[in-house]
Amino acid sequence: MKTKKTFIAKLNIFILTVLLILSLIPLALTVITSIVPEGDLFNITKEVELSDFELPPFFLTKKIFPIESEKFDTVDGDNNSGKVLQLDTKDCVTGIMVNIGDVDLNKIKEFTFSLNTSQKIKTFYLGFKDVQGMQEFLPAELTYVSGKWNNAIVHVNADKYVVVDKEHLNFVGLKFEFENNEKILIDNVTLRYKFPTLWNYKNVLQQNDFARYMLNSAIVSACHVFGNLIFCSMAAYVFARKKFRGKEVLFAIVLSSMMIPLQVKIIPIFKLMQFLGWIDTLYALIAPGVVTSFGIFFMRQYIEQIPFELDQSAYVDGANDFKIFTKIIMPLSTPALAVLAINTFVASWNDLYMPLILTSSNNTRTVQVGLATFNRMHQVAWPELMAASSVAGIPIIIIFLIFQKKIISGMVEGAVKY
Amino acid sequence: MKPKTKKRVTVLIFLLPWIITFFVFELYPLLYSLFVSFTKYSGLNPQTTFIGLENYARAFQDEVFIKSVLNTLIFVAGTLPFTIAIAILIAILLNHLNLKFNGLFKAGFFLPSMISMVVISMIWIYMYSGTGFFNTVLHFFGFAVEERSWLANQNTALGSIMIMDVWASFGYYMILIYAGLQNIPYSVYEAARIDGAKPIQIAFKITIPMIRPTLFFVIALNTIRSFQIFTEVFTMTNGGPRNSTETIVHYLYRVSFRNYEMGYGSAIAYILLAIIMTITLIQKRALRSDYL
């Protein structure tokens, strides 16, 4: 009997673990993809072979330009890899520009290529040309042993380049300075990306205004949290402690206004904000959410549990309602206030509908709107999209991990009593 | 000041913030949008013409609107059973497990329902893409896969959003059901076990009936939420392809804030309100009858 019980318990844990792993796959995929330089998770582009010079010359001329000499030749190489590029030297200088599409310099780790030259390289220059046509060549250290077919590696130091637009590079240039004029052979020019990289996060925060969106979301959420803590408790105090005519009706209104979907009210709210000139300002987002029916309902539940004798003895001692509220009710409600604060923050941070309708410019967008519209512009840049998603999701995940017990208990209480 | 007046003033002051917000952002919008729903009103042009019930009549002849109602119904009917079934299953498994991992599992399953729907939609757009997770896995097991996103195919788009939604919301309901299960006293199980009840009998004769109020609540909540599905559609498909994922709230958004037909939009909003109210009332009644 006992073995059967432990077996069931083990099976139970096993099933739960499998389900949990399955359920967390999407989140894991997101985080992993956000540190991929290019491509996507199942197709991480760590290396791109820019050219192996096997294309017919006509097509090759679209992708490769020689430096300091008008033309180039492809010849049959002796390194068992088909055709190789032969470059003439002019005034002891030679080199090529190779098309790399549209690449962010910060994501590049290094370039490699095979080189065959009998003479010593005096200086090697690594250069880039951006989409606007700006060029910049700087001396770079080349790990290379002179002789026949050696693999040369050149590390990229992105900080040194200042003239070119680093985010959108079109061509990479390899330039050699020799002692004498002599032909050299090059093959297999390859680009290697940094992996893992945090550059997607930096790009998202800087280039795409996500830092601004985050700030907007933080401001709006903070205002909602403070508004709810103060104003909801105030109303809840009255509903929990005072007897006045129409109280039941008013509280019924509080409850029923929780049921009305926002969509029914949004058009007049939009018109009202237009009338106030608040469209596309943070006021428009803050104002409708500073007092919520849920907050009043939730706080009333808690305040009712606080012993009434405390109020009465304070009243006898001469305290008025404001004193009782600020000195007794509020301090004693701290657990409920914490739950309300967290819930309000999460709801406000995650809201899309209101900010989507009431804001239109980058300066007022919240992070949810920013992310929802980001998608439209960058349909295929998965790593950046996942980095942006992580940025929008991480604050909530952190808050959840810290306060999970409060969040879960608050949610259960709010829901079950209701 | 008389004490009574003083008390009234205090009450008023304490309620004032809520009263102002209630009038400005609840009552006025509710009534004004009812008025707007009987007019032809563009939002851009301040002129309003009273046209009676024409907006409502138009909705029932609007093919896209009818399609959006059908899609919403499919969405609700297709997600609700799965969400609730998975939530019950995990809640029961967790309830039988009394270990220190309990909190870990609870948090792990609940985590997705904390994250915003926009983020979740982005993640699933990526997973549904042509070279995404699902296609890669299917391809690995030898299935022929299309090279395009599941969301770009009008036969799979709505289903894809539904699968995502089940994943995104079951954790929330699981926590509620788990709380319900925890309220069942252990002695009830003990008594049943002494009487020789089998685990299946315990599940159907004790557990389910005792959490019935919670279940009703969870179903009601899920139905109301599902009827208002918007974010998923807005971020993932924008209602397409060929209106195959158009839902009531998304269509309302399109009509009001893309085409600026705010009169018609308000009428749709009121139809939505009527649908939600009807369902809530039906469910409330079911809930109440269970208590009595």
Side-chain angles (χ1 to χ4, degrees):
Chain A
M1 190 66 197
K2 207 185 172 194
T3 45
K4 199 185 161 197
K5 225 174 180 179
T6 49
F7 172 73
I8 289 176
K10 274 182 185 159
L11 184 71
N12 198 340
I13 295 181
F14 177 74
I15 296 172
L16 279 172
T17 313
V18 171
L19 287 175
L20 184 64
I21 290 171
L22 280 178
S23 145
L24 292 181
I25 281 178
L27 302 181
L29 288 181
T30 311
V31 175
I32 299 169
T33 308
S34 69
I35 54 170
V36 168
E38 288 290 316
D40 63 51
L41 186 61
F42 305 102
N43 204 352
I44 300 174
T45 318
K46 288 184 196 160
E47 242 185 51
V48 183
E49 192 167 64
L50 298 173
S51 189
D52 56 359
F53 307 107
E54 305 301 322
L55 284 172
F58 173 77
F59 294 106
L60 215 48
T61 51
K62 306 276 183 232
K63 298 195 73 180
I64 288 166
F65 299 97
I67 300 172
E68 303 294 335
S69 60
E70 262 78 77
K71 66 183 182 66
F72 58 83
D73 290 312
T74 50
V75 296
D76 284 326
D78 51 357
N79 61 344
N80 301 325
S81 85
K83 292 219 162 45
V84 301
L85 183 76
Q86 177 181 305
L87 286 171
D88 286 329
T89 325
K90 192 180 165 194
D91 299 331
C92 299
V93 173
T94 188
I96 46 163
M97 301 286 283
V98 185
N99 190 310
I100 51 176
D102 184 354
V103 170
D104 187 337
L105 182 60
N106 298 299
K107 288 182 187 171
I108 301 173
K109 186 178 166 208
E110 60 196 17
F111 289 95
T112 67
F113 50 91
S114 311
L115 185 65
N116 184 350
T117 168
S118 51
Q119 47 176 328
K120 203 170 176 307
I121 301 167
K122 209 165 101 192
T123 330
F124 172 76
Y125 297 91
L126 181 68
F128 296 98
K129 188 173 165 187
D130 63 23
V131 283
Q132 255 101 42
M134 294 295 284
Q135 276 195 44
E136 186 173 16
F137 275 89
L138 291 174
E141 202 179 317
L142 188 68
T143 318
Y144 166 71
V145 197
S146 71
K148 269 202 149 192
W149 291 119
N150 274 299
N151 277 328
I153 299 177
V154 52
H155 284 279
V156 174
N157 186 351
D159 297 336
K160 288 205 290 185
Y161 293 85
V162 287
V163 179
V164 287
D165 175 10
K166 279 188 236 183
E167 272 107 32
H168 302 285
L169 296 174
N170 243 185
F171 282 92
V172 56
L174 309 170
K175 197 159 98 178
F176 306 88
E177 220 180 280
F178 293 105
E179 304 279 351
N180 308 305
N181 275 337
E182 205 172 303
K183 282 178 179 155
I184 64 161
L185 300 171
I186 291 184
D187 200 6
N188 299 336
V189 182
T190 306
L191 180 162
R192 282 194 192 143
Y193 284 105
K194 288 175 189 160
F195 176 73
T197 173
L198 289 176
W199 207 261
N200 295 315
Y201 285 94
K202 209 170 173 203
N203 265 354
V204 161
L205 286 173
Q206 280 182 346
Q207 268 185 288
N208 298 303
D209 292 324
F210 263 74
R212 176 75 224 193
Y213 301 156
M214 297 277 279
L215 179 68
N216 292 337
S217 282
I219 294 171
V220 173
S221 306
C223 291
H224 283 169
V225 169
F226 283 111
N228 270 281
L229 289 185
I230 297 164
F231 300 137
C232 292
S233 318
M234 278 164 65
Y237 170 69
V238 169
F239 280 123
R241 288 295 201 241
K242 298 284 155 191
K243 287 197 182 76
F244 55 93
R245 212 163 3 123
K247 180 174 135 177
E248 298 310 313
V249 178
L250 276 182
F251 196 67
I253 290 174
V254 171
L255 287 185
S256 52
S257 65
M258 274 160 77
M259 314 275 255
I260 308 290
L262 175 65
Q263 293 84 17
V264 184
K265 301 175 288 194
I266 194 71
I267 290 172
I269 291 178
F270 178 79
K271 293 305 294 176
L272 182 72
M273 295 301 175
Q274 251 180 357
F275 173 75
L276 293 172
W278 281 3
I279 289 286
D280 208 19
T281 65
L282 293 183
Y283 300 121
L285 303 184
I286 295 168
V290 286
V291 194
T292 57
S293 306
F294 173 78
I296 297 174
F297 163 75
F298 181 78
M299 287 312 296
R300 193 188 92 136
Q301 295 280 341
Y302 195 86
I303 293 173
E304 274 184 335
Q305 293 173 356
I306 299 173
F308 196 35
E309 290 77 34
L310 291 172
D311 298 30
Q312 279 174 326
S313 59
Y315 187 73
V316 170
D317 290 345
N320 60 14
D321 280 299
F322 293 96
K323 268 255 164 67
I324 294 172
F325 176 69
T326 52
K327 300 280 172 190
I328 295 174
I329 299 297
M330 286 298 261
L332 286 175
S333 311
T334 323
L337 289 172
V339 171
L340 180 65
I342 298 163
N343 282 7
T344 310
F345 181 86
V346 172
S348 172
W349 183 276
N350 285 350
D351 186 28
L352 172 75
Y353 202 70
M354 283 284 246
L356 177 72
I357 285 162
L358 298 177
T359 63
S360 54
S361 74
N362 277 3
N363 287 332
T364 50
R365 268 188 194 148
T366 62
V367 72
Q368 307 301 334
V369 185
L371 184 62
T373 43
F374 182 78
N375 171 34
R376 315 259 144 119
M377 296 179 281
H378 304 72
Q379 197 73 44
V380 269
W382 297 121
E384 280 197 10
L385 185 61
M386 289 304 109
S389 305
S390 306
V391 164
I394 279 168
I396 296 297
I397 293 180
I398 291 174
I399 285 180
F400 176 68
L401 293 180
I402 299 173
F403 300 110
Q404 45 146 312
K405 278 205 177 122
K406 280 210 158 66
I407 293 175
I408 291 176
S409 73
M411 206 194 70
V412 170
E413 268 169 55
V416 169
K417 282 179 186 154
Y418 169 68
Chain B
M1 232 191 291
K2 278 190 217 160
K4 203 162 187 188
T5 343
K6 202 181 162 195
K7 194 185 131 196
R8 274 191 194 148
V9 171
T10 319
V11 166
L12 190 67
I13 290 173
F14 273 79
L15 285 180
L16 201 60
W18 172 69
I19 290 175
I20 293 171
T21 0
F22 174 74
F23 276 103
V24 178
F25 297 115
E26 304 273 352
L27 191 61
Y28 154 75
L30 201 62
L31 298 177
Y32 189 68
S33 105
L34 183 63
F35 164 72
V36 170
S37 75
F38 297 117
T39 63
K40 194 175 172 62
Y41 177 48
S42 79
L44 301 171
N45 178 348
Q47 216 173 3
T48 53
T49 359
F50 190 80
I51 53 169
L53 287 169
E54 217 170 278
N55 283 325
Y56 292 89
R58 180 179 159 193
F60 292 103
Q61 286 158 3
D62 184 345
E63 273 177 34
V64 185
F65 177 71
I66 291 166
K67 175 96 183 157
S68 77
V69 174
L70 287 178
N71 283 338
T72 312
L73 289 173
I74 292 172
F75 180 84
V76 174
T79 53
L80 195 111
F82 292 102
T83 311
I84 303 295
I86 294 173
I88 293 176
L89 174 74
I90 293 176
I92 288 178
L93 287 178
L94 266 177
N95 195 40
H96 281 276
L97 188 76
N98 268 320
L99 293 169
K100 50 185 170 188
F101 312 125
N102 236 347
L104 182 81
F105 280 119
K106 232 162 65 171
F109 285 117
F110 183 57
L111 182 59
S113 53
M114 287 290 292
I115 299 170
S116 86
M117 213 59 210
V118 182
V119 172
I120 287 172
S121 304
M122 290 301 151
I123 296 173
W124 285 69
I125 289 175
Y126 169 53
M127 299 216 299
Y128 282 134
S129 70
T131 55
F133 176 75
F134 291 110
N135 270 354
T136 310
V137 170
L138 287 182
H139 187 76
F140 179 80
F141 288 109
F143 291 96
V145 289
E146 277 186 272
E147 260 301 296
R148 62 175 173 166
S149 168
W150 292 26
L151 298 166
N153 182 335
Q154 58 168 315
N155 297 321
T156 53
L158 187 62
S160 304
I161 296 181
M162 285 158 64
I163 293 173
M164 178 189 84
D165 223 78
V166 170
W167 174 80
S169 53
F170 81 86
Y172 178 74
Y173 302 108
M174 182 273 289
I175 293 286
L176 295 180
I177 295 168
Y178 177 77
L181 288 174
Q182 292 271 296
N183 285 337
I184 303 176
Y186 189 70
S187 54
V188 177
Y189 291 113
E190 199 84 312
R193 222 166 277 139
I194 289 166
D195 290 346
K198 293 193 178 71
I200 307 256
Q201 281 177 313
I202 291 177
F204 281 95
K205 295 274 155 87
I206 296 176
T207 315
I208 303 271
M210 289 205 61
I211 57 163
R212 189 170 282 170
T214 314
L215 278 185
F216 269 116
F217 172 74
V218 160
I219 289 169
L221 198 64
N222 192 354
T223 316
I224 293 170
R225 283 186 166 197
S226 303
F227 262 100
Q228 297 180 46
I229 168 184
F230 168 77
T231 311
E232 299 91 317
V233 177
F234 176 78
T235 32
M236 297 178 93
T237 59
N238 231 335
R242 293 173 129 231
N243 297 328
S244 63
T245 57
E246 195 65 83
T247 60
I248 302 176
V249 175
H250 187 264
Y251 188 58
L252 194 162
Y253 169 79
R254 230 176 76 183
V255 166
S256 320
F257 297 101
R258 285 280 165 271
N259 307 342
Y260 287 102
E261 292 180 88
M262 294 197 169
Y264 186 36
S266 298
I268 293 176
Y270 261 88
I271 295 172
L272 174 75
L273 182 65
I275 294 175
I276 289 179
M277 283 298 167
T278 314
I279 287 165
T280 316
L281 283 179
I282 293 171
Q283 283 175 332
K284 268 260 157 84
R285 182 153 287 183
L287 185 87
R288 191 128 322 139
S289 69
D290 193 65
Y291 272 133
L292 292 173

